[in-house]
Amino acid sequence: MLIFELDEREAKDMRTALSIRLVGMREELVHTDDREYRAYLKAAIERLEVVLRRLDGILAGQAPAP
């Protein structure tokens, strides 16, 4: 597991950037017919959504999930 520290402003900026990227990835998913690429996008989106939820928890003052 890779761990690094962010201050609150950096965490908020990271959350914003990640949210924007996820919107773009979901848009790509809707418009692609390539099955392998769709599978890759789905898996990547799921992983990034987990990271986003963890980041939201940290910003809300909850302990980070493992």
Side-chain angles (χ1 to χ4, degrees), residues 14-58:
M14 180 65 71
R15 191 212 179 284
T16 299
L18 186 53
S19 295
I20 290 168
R21 180 63 185 131
L22 279 166
V23 168
M25 291 173 78
R26 288 182 189 110
E27 189 70 23
E28 279 184 71
L29 185 64
V30 169
H31 290 98
T32 187
D33 293 327
D34 184 316
R35 293 178 73 163
E36 286 184 39
Y37 187 53
R38 284 182 63 79
Y40 162 78
L41 281 174
K42 283 182 180 182
I45 288 169
E46 288 174 8
R47 288 189 304 271
L48 292 177
E49 286 173 339
V50 169
V51 172
L52 188 60
R53 284 192 301 273
R54 291 176 65 190
L55 195 51
D56 283 342
I58 291 167

Side-chain angles (χ1 to χ4, degrees), residues 1-13:
M1 176 180 271
L2 177 65
I3 297 178
F4 61 95
E5 290 186 32
L6 300 172
D7 65 29
E8 187 173 349
R9 182 70 254 165
E10 291 169 331
K12 287 179 180 179
D13 291 345

